[in-house]
């Protein structure tokens, strides 16, 4: 009986597809939760993309949806559009992720002048010097096949705040979404069963301010420490890498003629430089907590010198430089003059944008499942990954595309969108795929943490072999691009 009551209740509360209604704010009484088809907790890229995709689809646009976000979304927008100033929180979007944002109509709200496509990537071993070059022109030439990629693009560098600002503007244009922001989740519990309705299986979210929302489907897009995941009783397993991810926005000596990403595997972790518009670039450096503290304490001149050293000098040189309290700039300059350079290296760094140097702990976490009755997890609430392959945000976008397909299928077939049966499609599509990507990144991190000569020799041999096999590189690039 409870299922029939819940189903009838949804049919009374779900709005017909295509009906326009204004953006609004929920004001239920403290004892009576307002009923929603979908409530999403978390207003980051994943949560905003979910609501945008649901509202832009004819099949799901009639669902009554709400967003709960602890921070003030009105303050979390792009304000400084100066072409030489960029946020230190950037992501590398694959062509597949960009294509999906275009399909749902959100990409046209992104400030594309601040997005940087790049066409190549140089990756090499800091101990042996063996390398692999990812380049669509070269790969397609070797494989003798035409390219299907826009302008030979490997990925697009975008500030996270540019993405979320665009998504917020898109949602404003769409309308019809209840947005509670800033509103912190105070509790999540199951509803009550009354004579007229049965909410005993519906999650009820109580937020600061006293509002309560009952969800036919509650989506957790609320980060690695997800309250939604905790409520659902879903375990998240993994480990810390005992590494910190250093990020910064850096200024280059000159603008590269061709935009290329660079990544060098050091004994403490990879250092990567990813292109931004003009003479700017985004730095991501995985290193030990002790070295991260040293780097954060340096002057702008010494920090810039250390970044240049990270791409050019030997492991013993870097170990010595991290032991200095100051004066790295002069030491690096002397060592660079006496160190022969072979292979491609990035343009010299000459400065760091003010207040962009930051560090965060790296970890791998994976939820045991992505769904429970009336619960779905997406993005970091479901999985966190090492940033060495730049796939974190892309996995989240893949989650959104799959979950929206799942909800759409349930609506079109008359299923309860929150039922375990209806949500099985999402778990089956995403769990194994995400687990594979996470496993590959984890194994790469561990492989390049070894310094013993036999292992260094074997991994260098493998890297050089893959570099010579154009068809294999093409396969890896197509999969990294999201199957584009």
């Amino acid at each position: 009986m409870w299922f029939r009551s819940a189903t009838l209740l949804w049919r009374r509360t779900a709005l017909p597809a295509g009906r326009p209604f204004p953006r609004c704010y929920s004001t239920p009484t403290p004892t009576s939760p307002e009923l929603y088809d979908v409530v999403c907790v978390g207003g980051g890229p994943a949560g905003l993309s979910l609501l945008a995709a649901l509202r832009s689809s004819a099949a799901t646009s009639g669902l009554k949806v709400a967003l709960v976000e602890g921070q003030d979304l009105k303050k979390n927008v792009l304000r400084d559009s100066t072409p030489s100033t960029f946020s230190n929180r950037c992501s590398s979007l694959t062509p597949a992720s960009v294509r999906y944002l275009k399909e749902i109509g959100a990409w046209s709200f992104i400030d594309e002048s601040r997005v940087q496509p790049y066409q190549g990537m140089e990756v090499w071993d800091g101990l042996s010097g063996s390398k692999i070059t990812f380049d669509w022109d070269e790969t397609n030439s070797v494989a003798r096949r035409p390219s299907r990629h826009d302008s030979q693009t490997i990925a697009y560098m975008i500030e996270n705040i540019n993405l979320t600002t665009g998504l917020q503007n898109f949602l404003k244009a769409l309308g019809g979404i209840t947005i509670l922001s800033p509103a912190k989740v105070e509790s999540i519990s199951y509803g009550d069963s009354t004579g007229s309705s049965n909410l005993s299986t519906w999650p009820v979210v109580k937020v600061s301010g006293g509002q309560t929302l009952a969800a036919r489907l509650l989506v957790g897009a609320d980060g690695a420490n997800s309250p939604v995941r905790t409520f659902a009783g879903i375990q998240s397993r993994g480990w810390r890498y005992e590494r910190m991810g250093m990020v910064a926005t850096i200024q280059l000596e000159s603008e590269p003629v061709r935009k290329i990403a660079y990544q060098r595997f050091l004994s403490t972790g990879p250092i990567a430089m990813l292109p931004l518009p003009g003479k700017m670039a985004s730095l991501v450096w995985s290193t030990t907590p002790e070295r991260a503290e040293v780097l954060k304490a340096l002057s702008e001149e010494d920090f810039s010198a250390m970044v240049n050293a990270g791409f050019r000098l030997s492991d013993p040189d870097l170990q010595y430089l991290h032991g200095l309290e100051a004066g790295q700039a002069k030491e690096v300059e002397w060592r660079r003059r006496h160190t022969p350079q072979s292979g491609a290296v990035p343009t010299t760094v000459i400065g760091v944008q003010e207040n962009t140097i930051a560090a965060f702990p790296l970890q791998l976490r994976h939820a045991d499942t992505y769904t429970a009755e009336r619960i779905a997890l997406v993005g970091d609430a479901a999985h966190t990954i090492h940033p060495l392959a730049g796939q974190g945000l892309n996995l989240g976008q893949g989650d959104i595309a799959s979950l929206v397909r799942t909800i759409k299928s349930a609506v079109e077939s008359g299923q309860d969108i929150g039922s375990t049966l209806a949500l099985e499609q999402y778990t089956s599509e995403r769990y194994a795929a995400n687990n594979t990507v996470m496993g590959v990144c984890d194994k790469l991190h561990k492989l390049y943490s070894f310094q013993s000569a036999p292992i260094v020799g074997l991994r260098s041999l493998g890297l050089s072999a893959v570099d010579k096999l154009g068809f294999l590189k093409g396969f890896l690039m197509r999969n990294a691009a999201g199957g584009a």
Side-chain angles (χ1 to χ4, degrees):
M1 286 296 295
W2 68 263
F3 179 80
R4 289 189 58 195
S5 299
T7 302
L8 291 172
L9 178 62
W10 170 75
R11 287 175 178 171
R12 288 197 298 271
T13 58
L15 300 176
R19 174 182 169 184
F21 50 101
R23 178 177 170 139
C24 54
Y25 287 83
S26 177
T27 55
T29 65
T31 57
S32 176
E34 186 161 348
L35 307 181
Y36 288 89
D37 294 303
V38 179
V39 174
C40 179
V41 178
L48 294 172
S49 294
L50 172 68
L51 297 183
L54 289 174
R55 288 292 299 130
S56 63
S57 168
T60 58
S61 61
L63 297 178
K64 188 178 180 183
V65 297
L67 173 68
V68 178
E69 168 55 40
Q71 297 184 17
D72 190 346
L73 287 175
K74 294 176 182 177
K75 294 181 180 179
N76 190 28
V77 294
L78 182 63
R79 299 186 186 279
D80 186 356
S81 58
T82 305
S84 60
T85 303
F86 292 88
S87 168
N88 62 355
R89 296 186 62 190
C90 296
S91 297
S92 182
L93 283 179
T94 64
S97 293
V98 171
R99 185 168 61 245
Y100 182 68
L101 290 169
K102 289 180 178 178
E103 287 173 358
I104 65 175
W107 188 255
S108 60
F109 289 82
I110 303 295
D111 184 351
E112 289 194 65
S113 69
R114 302 180 66 83
V115 178
Q116 181 59 64
Y118 58 93
Q119 295 77 35
M121 186 168 186
E122 297 282 347
V123 181
W124 69 101
D125 190 324
L127 293 181
S128 70
S130 60
K131 70 176 183 67
I132 183 170
T133 300
F134 294 104
D135 185 295
W136 279 122
D137 287 335
E138 175 191 328
T139 301
N140 290 317
S141 174
V142 172
R144 295 182 180 177
R145 58 182 290 172
S147 172
R148 297 182 292 110
H149 298 265
D150 297 338
S151 303
Q152 314 298 311
T153 297
I154 287 180
Y156 301 77
M157 282 302 295
I158 184 172
E159 299 159 286
N160 290 2
I161 197 167
N162 187 8
L163 177 58
T164 55
T165 298
L167 287 167
Q168 285 191 62
N169 290 335
F170 183 44
L171 290 177
K172 288 178 184 178
L174 289 170
I177 300 168
T178 298
I179 297 180
L180 300 177
S181 167
K184 295 186 181 298
V185 173
E186 293 187 346
S187 66
I188 306 175
S189 60
Y190 285 111
D192 299 322
S193 176
T194 65
S196 59
S197 63
N198 185 352
L199 298 178
S200 60
T201 65
W202 286 42
V204 175
V205 181
K206 182 179 180 181
V207 302
S208 55
Q211 299 103 317
T212 55
L213 300 82
R216 191 163 184 250
L217 173 62
L218 177 62
V219 179
D222 45 352
N225 300 315
S226 167
V228 174
R229 188 183 66 230
T230 300
F231 165 74
I234 298 174
Q235 294 294 316
S236 178
R237 307 175 195 275
W239 46 82
R240 294 184 179 276
Y241 285 113
E242 303 302 327
R243 293 289 187 272
M244 300 293 288
M246 294 283 303
V247 294
T249 303
I250 53 182
Q251 182 181 357
L252 307 179
E253 189 175 45
S254 61
E255 181 174 1
V257 175
R258 189 165 183 261
K259 297 290 186 174
I260 295 176
Y262 297 88
Q263 183 166 264
R264 186 188 189 200
F265 282 90
L266 305 172
S267 61
T268 54
I271 178 173
M273 184 186 295
L274 302 142
L276 292 172
K279 298 180 181 180
M280 307 304 289
S282 179
L283 174 73
V284 183
W285 190 344
S286 172
T287 190
T288 63
E290 296 77 18
R291 290 193 175 187
E293 288 301 316
V294 171
L295 291 170
K296 287 195 295 182
L298 296 178
S299 66
E300 177 185 346
E301 182 184 20
D302 286 341
F303 184 88
S304 300
M306 288 297 288
V307 175
N308 290 323
F311 287 100
R312 293 166 174 84
L313 299 185
S314 68
D315 204 64
D317 285 333
L318 292 172
Q319 185 174 355
Y320 172 78
L321 290 166
H322 277 93
L324 301 178
E325 292 185 2
Q328 281 86 350
K330 290 184 178 180
E331 187 68 29
V332 170
E333 182 182 2
W334 183 87
R335 290 173 182 262
R336 284 182 62 181
R337 287 202 304 265
H338 296 81
T339 302
Q341 295 295 321
S342 60
V345 291
T347 304
T348 299
V349 177
I350 61 171
V352 184
Q353 185 178 303
E354 188 177 4
N355 298 323
T356 62
I357 299 175
F360 56 92
L362 301 181
Q363 62 178 345
L364 180 144
R365 306 291 299 179
H366 203 187
D368 287 350
T369 180
Y370 294 170
T371 59
E373 186 73 12
R374 307 202 178 283
I375 300 288
L377 304 176
V378 296
D380 286 352
H383 43 72
T384 57
I385 186 174
H386 195 290
L388 67 86
Q391 290 298 309
L393 184 59
N394 295 298
L395 294 185
Q397 290 296 303
D399 293 345
I400 298 307
S402 175
L403 182 58
V404 171
R405 282 195 302 271
T406 298
I407 295 173
K408 179 181 177 181
S409 177
V411 169
E412 291 177 337
S413 62
Q415 287 183 287
D416 182 346
I417 65 172
S419 69
T420 303
L421 179 62
L423 294 172
E424 279 183 358
Q425 175 184 333
Y426 168 58
T427 300
S428 64
E429 282 184 4
R430 294 304 298 165
Y431 198 91
N434 288 344
N435 196 59
T436 299
V437 175
M438 294 172 70
V440 169
C441 291
D442 180 59
K443 299 303 184 293
L444 281 173
H445 166 76
K446 291 176 179 176
L447 177 63
Y448 279 92
S449 296
F450 289 107
Q451 299 183 55
S452 71
I455 294 179
V456 171
L458 287 173
R459 77 189 184 202
S460 299
L461 182 64
L463 195 65
S464 298
V466 173
D467 190 47
K468 293 182 172 71
L469 299 174
F471 70 92
L472 182 54
K473 279 205 295 186
F475 172 80
L476 294 173
M477 291 169 68
R478 282 187 290 276
N479 280 272

